[in-house]
Every structure is written in structure tokens, then in C-alpha cells.
């Protein structure tokens, strides 16, 4: 068994095998009693360990490095090793001396370690490691710095740029393939990095060497030894060792994987939240009805702000009208529905004041709102965000509640996003209310300008249908009219004023009223159109109108005139066809325009359909194809009631893919009985 001579006072000795290099951590061949006492281990326990095992985590690199340097000296002196004295006759002088941290009996112990190569009595290459008390000025300061580096998980290295040698000084990366190697060329180290990062690290080294920067702070990836990569961060600078000493690049490297992954996770979450908020904002801008706005808030707000549920409240008659989506306890919604706006409750206050209420926990709710505990009794939610719509002062619109199933602290960026979202929601709700009011006004205007009911006329069945465009705030200018005369004749009139706005609807009302008055003076279609055309030009009307005027007599005689309007479709026993007759320019275009009068008959049982171009022409259908479709529709319904014919014709508009308004007027001459 190897023998160690007694160590000097305040020192301890070990014999560590080097025959197999240091990849095995340095097998301990022998240790004196002081080492065992220092470590708090028995002799056999020490001998069954490796030298690297004696160092705590973060310091094994220093222990291995000490042995590696000693092994290098032993290899260089291999030629003289045969003449080396055995351990008992004295060892070679120490080859290195460095601070080293060992595990210790109760806590890590800092000591000064030196090692010298020997050949023991069995002919094995070994190292005598001598551990001594640190001494000399400054050693305690060094110990503190060394400990801090180890505690922070920093690996310390040095690079000799003159000889192109990189060396781990302390705590080399545990997954680095080079941790037990000696000095390495820089390129060998760079070759181990992630291919996308090696050039950036090399450039940082070059910039330091050229003096372009005083400090390099770089992040890169290094293999983790298991097929993946770890993110590392190195801080490095140039240092001269002594006044005339060598120039070195020194640095520390720490594992930054957790911080990088957290930043990436936060960036991903921020990106996700930004995307959701953009989608939410787009939905607010696109919303045209209260239902669309409600749908956007209930299904998009909570995911955009990592919540679990959303409740929405609109202000009506100074009370809250509540609706809610998934994740909200119905009891909570019931507790808020109908609440007066002046109630001393957080949601009412948020809407009333226009200031967001942020409640991080149920405890905070109880402390801040002691008179409002009924809400907590109705839900298991842990945190609440109560966000009012942005509104004009004194005109609260409503707001929403986001609930969380765990305590949630709202960040400042989240509050900013919530504020912007609330402003968009308030603008959308105000716009929808204004739009609804305008559409109701426009709809009422159109309804008032069309006949309230069609007259009953002996010998004829008549049905009419009208559907406004109502795209956004647009209002159509289509109209129809039926006038019953004392002699039993009936005038069926249909027209379309240019434009889709309130002005077009107003002009439509003027044209219809004028035609109605002229028809009672003289019902002839050509003269009614001519007089209406001149009136529009005298009035300086800003638009024009198309019109089809058909006058039917009890005996079946038909007189008609067209002003730029689509012709009618006739249906009977022989099928259905377009009743193409000559026509004139639209009304309101040119003074002196004439409108040819066409004459014909409508047999008993036959049907005539008058319609506007929105029914038969659009992006998906040409006028010819549209009128052909109308003919097929009239043939298909045959002798069905005129109401069914009108409904079927209105369905033709789907093929046009057009959002225009449309009107249909269907008249059938009834068969005589008896």
C-alpha cells in the first residue's frame, strides 16, 4: 500500500493516481489523517473516492485542473521518470500552487493546494497533493471573489491571444467536452458552439483584440452533452498581467438558459397578447351592431388578457344590463344585472367615473369594498378587472369585468392596453348607437314614403315586396306605387333613384308624390313621365331616377312607358318572357325628353312582374342573365298566389351577390267566374 510521509504542520497530504489521466477524476491512492479529519471522512471512504469528488459543486474544475497540470508535467518529464525517487524517498518539487475549495466537515473549506508528480513503489504515476492553510496578504479578498463566482455559477477562463491558447481557470462548464483538456486553440472552442452563434462570438473576440470595445457581453448556445443546447452568457475584457507582463483576455461564462427561456416565453406571450389585442381591436372597429360588439367582447377580451371569463354591462336608464360568456358564474351575473349606476359597487363606480378598478385578490376586494361582499358570495373568481368603456364625461356607456381563477397582478403595459381597448370599445358602442338611430330614422322615412297598404282592385291581384340595402348607413332609393282610378283602371309604378343615402330617399319621396299627383290629373304613362322629368330639372334635383309606369284597364288593355328602367316580365300559359318595349332617358337628365307609349294586353290569368335592377343585376349576374332568371322563376311558380311569386322573385337577388336595395311589384289579371 502506498505510504505518505508526515506532512509539515498545518498541512495535509494525498496521493492521487495519474496513470489513467484525469478523466476518472483522479483516483485517491492514499490520504493522511489530517485530510480525513478535514473532510470528516474515514480513510477507506477517502480512498474509495476521486479527487474531484472532494470538491463541492462549482469547484470540481479547479481540482481537475490541478491534476491536469501535474499530469502534463509528468508527461513532459517521462524520460526522467524512471530515475524519480519513490514516495518514501522524497517527491519532486511542486509544479503548481493554487487556491482550492474542498467539501469540509461542516462547510466548504478554502486551502492552498500544490501538487508534484511522482512514481510510487508500484511504478504508477501519481501526484502528491499538499493542502495548506492560505496565507499572505489579500488571500481573504480573493476567497470572497472566488466564492461569489462559484455561487453565481460562473466559469472563469483566460485566453492568450499571442499563442492562441484558451484555458478554463476555474469551474469549467460541466457539459463542455474540453473541461479536462489543457490549453486549446480558440477555434477548437468555437467549433463546439451552435453554428449560428460561432461567428458572433469570434467577432466579439476580434473586436476586443482590436480595441474597438472595452467589454464584450455576448450570448450564445453551447451543446449540453445530451443532444440539445444551453444558452450561455460571457463577459470578457483585455487585461495586462503586471506593468510589463503578458496581455490576456479574461472572462467569465454563466449558464443563462433559464433567463433566456423566460425572456423568450415572455416575448412569445407578449406577441400572443399583442396579436389577440389587435384581433380584438379589429373586431371592435368592424362591429356594426350591438350583437357583434357583444360577441367580440365576451369571446375575445378574456383570452387577450389571460383571464378566464368576461361579463359585459351596458347602461340603460341608469341601470346595468348584463350579459356574460363562458367562465362567469351565472349567480355573479344575476347579482350585477339591474344594478343602479349610483350603487357603491366597484363595477358601477368604474363605469360611473371612467376609471378602471383593479382587484388583485378576494382579500383586497373585501378590504376595499366591505359593503359589496355579495359578489364574492356569487363567484369563486380570485381577481377582477373592471374596465369602463371610454365615454364622454357624464355619459357612461358601460364596461366589462374580466375574472381570473387565481390571484392576478396586472402589469402597467396590460393597463395601458386595457385603456386603449376600452377607448376603442367606447367608440364602437357610440358609433353603433348613432348608426342604429340613423338606420331607424331612415327606415321610418322609407316606410312612410311607400304605400302603407295596396288598394284592393276588382279584376286584379297585386303584391309588392321591398328590401332596403342597409349596408352601413346607406339607405336605398327604390320605390313602388299602386294607384286605383274611379274607372277601374290601376297604375302600377316602380322606380329607382340614383344613390344610397338620405338625399336619395328624400328625392324618391318627391318623385313618387309628383307622379301620384300628375297621374290623377292625367293617368297616361308617357305624359306622367314627361311632366315628372321636367319638374325634377326645374327643381335642380341632384340625382336622376329610372321608372316603369304601367296602366292596366279592367278589360285587359295595357299602356306603359319606361324611363331608363328594366323592362317587366310577363308570365302566362305560353311561359314567361321579357316584355321589351321602347323607352326614354332616366328622369331628371334632359329637358324635353319623350317617353314612347307602348300598348298591349294582359290576358286573364296572366301575370306581370315589375322590379328594380337590384333584383337582376350585380357583380355575380349580368342584366340579361338576371332577367332570364326572373323569367324562369315566374314560370316555375306558375299560378301560385301573387304573394308567393313576389317572394320567389326577391330570392333571385342572391345570385347577383349585390347589396343593393330591391323592389318587386306583381300584378295578375284574375279570371272571370260565372
Amino acid at each position: 500500500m502506498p505510504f505518505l510521509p508526515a506532512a509539515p504542520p498545518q498541512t495535509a497530504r494525498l496521493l492521487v493516481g495519474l496513470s489513467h489521466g484525469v478523466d476518472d477524476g483522479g483516483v485517491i491512492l492514499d490520504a493522511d489523517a489530517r485530510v480525513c479529519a478535514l473532510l470528516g471522512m474515514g480513510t477507506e471512504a477517502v480512498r474509495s473516492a476521486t479527487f474531484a469528488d472532494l470538491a463541492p459543486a462549482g469547484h470540481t474544475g479547479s481540482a481537475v485542473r490541478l491534476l491536469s497540470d501535474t499530469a502534463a508535467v509528468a508527461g513532459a518529464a517521462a524520460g526522467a521518470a524512471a530515475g524519480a525517487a519513490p514516495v518514501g524517498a522524497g517527491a519532486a518539487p511542486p509544479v503548481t500552487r493554487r487556491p482550492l475549495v474542498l467539501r469540509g466537515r461542516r462547510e466548504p473549506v478554502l486551502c492552498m493546494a500544490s501538487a508534484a508528480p511522482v512514481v510510487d513503489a508500484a511504478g504508477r504515476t501519481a501526484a502528491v497533493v499538499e493542502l495548506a492553510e492560505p496565507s499572505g496578504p489579500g488571500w481573504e479578498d480573493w476567497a470572497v471573489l472566488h466564492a461569489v463566482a462559484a455561487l453565481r455559477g460562473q466559469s472563469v477562463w483566460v485566453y492568450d491571444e499571442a499563442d492562441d491558447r484558451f484555458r478554463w481557470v476555474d469551474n469549467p462548464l460541466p457539459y463542455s467536452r474540453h473541461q479536462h483538456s489543457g490549453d486549446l486553440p480558440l477555434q477548437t472552442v468555437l467549433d463546439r458552439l451552435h453554428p449560428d452563434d460561432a461567428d458572433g462570438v469570434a467577432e466579439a473576440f476580434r473586436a476586443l483584440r482590436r480595441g474597438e470595445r472595452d467589454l464584450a457581453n455576448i450570448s450564445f448556445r453551447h451543446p449540453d452533452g445530451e443532444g440539445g443546447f444551453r444558452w450561455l452568457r460571457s463577459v470578457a475584457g483585455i487585461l495586462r498581467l503586471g506593468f510589463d507582463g503578458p496581455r490576456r483576455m479574461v472572462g467569465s461564462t454563466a449558464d443563462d438558459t433559464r433567463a433566456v427561456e423566460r425572456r423568450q416565453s415572455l416575448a412569445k406571450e407578449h406577441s400572443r397578447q399583442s396579436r389577440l389585442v389587435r384581433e380584438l381591436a379589429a373586431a371592435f372597429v368592424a362591429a356594426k351592431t350591438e350583437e357583434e360588439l357583444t360577441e367580440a367582447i365576451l369571446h375575445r377580451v378574456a383570452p387577450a388578457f389571460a383571464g378566464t371569463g368576461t361579463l359585459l354591462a351596458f347602461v340603460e336608464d341608469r341601470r346595468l344590463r348584463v350579459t356574460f360568456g363562458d367562465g362567469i358564474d351565472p349567480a355573479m351575473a344575476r347579482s350585477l344585472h339591474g344594478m343602479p349606476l349610483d350603487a357603491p359597487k366597484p363595477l358601477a363606480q368604474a363605469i360611473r367615473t371612467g376609471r378602471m378598478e383593479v382587484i388583485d385578490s378576494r382579500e383586497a376586494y373585501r378590504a376595499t369594498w366591505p359593503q359589496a361582499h355579495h359578489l364574492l358570495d356569487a363567484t369563486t373568481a380570485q381577481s377582477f378587472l373592471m374596465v369602463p368603456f371610454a365615454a364622454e364625461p357624464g355619459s357612461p356607456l358601460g364596461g366589462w369585468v374580466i375574472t381570473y381563477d387565481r390571484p392576478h397582478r396586472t402589469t402597467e403595459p396590460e393597463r395601458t392596453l386595457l385603456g386603449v381597448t376600452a377607448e376603442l370599445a367606447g367608440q364602437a358602442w357610440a358609433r353603433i348607437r348613432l348608426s342604429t338611430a340613423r338606420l331607424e330614422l331612415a327606415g321610418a322615412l322609407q316606410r312612410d314614403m311607400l304605400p302603407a297598404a295596396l288598394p284592393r282592385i276588382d279584376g286584379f291581384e297585386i303584391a309588392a315586396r321591398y328590401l332596403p340595402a342597409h349596408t352601413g348607413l346607406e339607405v336605398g332609393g327604390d320605390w313602388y306605387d299602386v294607384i286605383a282610378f274611379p274607372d277601374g283602371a290601376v297604375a302600377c309604378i316602380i322606380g329607382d333613384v340614383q344613390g344610397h343615402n338620405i338625399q336619395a330617399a328624400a328625392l324618391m319621396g318627391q318623385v313618387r308624390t309628383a307622379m301620384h299627383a300628375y297621374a290623377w290629373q292625367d293617368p297616361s304613362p308617357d305624359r306622367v313621365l314627361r311632366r315628372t322629368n321636367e319638374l325634377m330639372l326645374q327643381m335642380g334635383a341632384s340625382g336622376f331616377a329610372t321608372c316603369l309606369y304601367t296602366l292596366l284597364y279592367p278589360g285587359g288593355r295595357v299602356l306603359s312607358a319606361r324611363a331608363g328602367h328594366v323592362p317587366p316580365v310577363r308570365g302566362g300559359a305560353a311561359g314567361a318572357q321579357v316584355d321589351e318595349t321602347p323607352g326614354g332617358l332616366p328622369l331628371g337628365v334632359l329637358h324635353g325628353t319623350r317617353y314612347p307609349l307602348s300598348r298591349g294586353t294582359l290576358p286573364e290569368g296572366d301575370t306581370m312582374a315589375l322590379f328594380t335592377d337590384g333584383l337582376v343585376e350585380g357583380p355575380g349576374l349580368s342584366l340579361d342573365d338576371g332577367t332570364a332568371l326572373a323569367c324562369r322563376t315566374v314560370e316555375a311558380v306558375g299560378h301560385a298566389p301573387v304573394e308567393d311569386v313576389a317572394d320567389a322573385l326577391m330570392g333571385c337577388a342572391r345570385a347577383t351577390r349585390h347589396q343593393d336595395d330591391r323592389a318587386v311589384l306583381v300584378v295578375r289579371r284574375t279570371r272571370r267566374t260565372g
Side-chain angles (χ1 to χ4, degrees), residues 281-302:
F284 286 174
V285 171
K288 295 181 175 62
T289 65
E290 178 185 327
E291 290 74 19
E292 292 178 356
L293 181 62
T294 298
E295 183 77 9
I297 292 174
L298 292 182
H299 293 93
R300 295 175 183 264
V301 163

Side-chain angles (χ1 to χ4, degrees), residues 501-559:
N501 49 40
I502 297 295
Q503 289 73 23
L507 180 58
M508 175 267 284
Q510 293 172 325
V511 171
R512 175 176 173 264
T513 301
M515 294 187 73
H516 206 101
Y518 290 144
W520 275 101
Q521 295 176 6
D522 181 352
S524 179
D526 58 331
R527 287 192 287 273
V528 171
L529 292 182
R530 188 168 68 246
R531 294 178 69 182
T532 303
N533 177 63
E534 295 300 323
L535 177 64
M536 289 179 65
L537 291 169
Q538 290 173 12
M539 291 169 52
S542 58
F544 61 84
T546 66
C547 184
L548 170 61
Y549 183 126
T550 299
L551 184 63
L552 301 96
Y553 290 92
R557 186 164 63 100
V558 178
L559 301 177

Side-chain angles (χ1 to χ4, degrees), residues 460-465 605-609 633-650 664-670:
F460 296 99
E461 297 174 20
I462 303 175
R465 297 288 186 270
D606 280 13
T607 301
M608 179 180 290
T633 302
V634 171
E635 285 184 0
V637 295
H639 292 286
V642 290
E643 287 80 6
D644 294 345
V645 177
D647 290 338
L649 284 169
M650 287 295 282
V664 171
L665 185 59
V666 179
V667 57
R668 177 182 293 157
R669 187 181 171 204
T670 56

Side-chain angles (χ1 to χ4, degrees), residues 303-320:
F305 294 96
T308 53
T310 307
L311 177 144
L312 176 62
F314 291 112
V315 176
E316 290 184 354
D317 298 327
R318 305 291 295 176
R319 288 184 176 272
L320 303 186

Side-chain angles (χ1 to χ4, degrees), residues 469 473-477 496-502 504 658-661:
L473 297 180
E474 293 184 349
V475 180
D496 182 1
V497 171
Q498 175 201 26
H500 298 85
N501 49 40
I502 297 295
H658 202 298
Q659 296 299 316
D660 199 4
D661 51 341

Side-chain angles (χ1 to χ4, degrees), residues 27-239:
V27 176
I28 298 175
L29 303 176
D30 200 2
D32 65 14
R34 187 168 176 78
V35 168
C36 296
L38 176 69
L39 300 175
M41 300 170 62
T43 304
E44 293 304 318
V46 174
R47 288 174 178 169
S48 65
T50 67
F51 189 60
D53 291 336
L54 304 185
H59 297 275
T60 57
S62 295
V64 171
R65 183 68 185 180
L66 177 69
L67 298 182
S68 178
D69 289 347
T70 307
V73 171
V87 171
V95 298
T96 184
R97 181 177 173 83
R98 68 172 66 240
L100 183 65
V101 176
L102 297 178
R103 291 186 180 275
R105 189 167 44 245
R106 288 182 294 274
E107 62 273 320
V109 175
L110 174 66
C111 57
M112 297 301 294
S114 59
V118 298
V119 176
D120 69 3
R124 295 174 297 187
T125 304
V128 174
V129 179
E130 187 172 280
L131 307 176
E133 292 282 355
S135 61
W139 74 266
E140 187 173 346
D141 293 342
W142 180 93
V144 171
L145 294 175
H146 183 276
V148 168
L151 290 172
R152 291 174 61 88
Q154 293 177 335
S155 301
V156 183
W157 50 266
V158 62
Y159 174 60
D160 181 348
E161 55 185 310
D163 293 336
D164 186 25
R165 292 294 164 184
F166 177 94
R167 177 168 56 91
W168 293 107
V169 174
D170 199 12
N171 190 25
L173 301 174
Y175 37 79
S176 170
R177 194 170 66 189
H178 307 308
Q179 64 172 326
H180 296 160
S181 303
D183 294 349
L184 299 169
L186 179 60
Q187 190 59 50
T188 302
V189 178
L190 295 176
D191 288 343
R192 288 288 291 155
L193 306 184
H194 191 287
D196 294 342
D197 300 335
D199 289 345
V201 174
E203 177 55 34
F205 271 66
R206 286 192 292 267
L208 280 174
R209 295 164 69 180
R210 292 192 297 260
E212 296 174 2
R213 61 171 71 174
D214 296 327
L215 185 71
N217 191 331
I218 49 177
S219 182
F220 55 92
R221 284 160 289 182
H222 189 286
D224 61 4
E226 299 177 356
F229 287 88
R230 305 288 295 179
W231 278 98
L232 307 180
R233 177 169 295 279
S234 283
V235 179
I238 297 291
L239 182 69

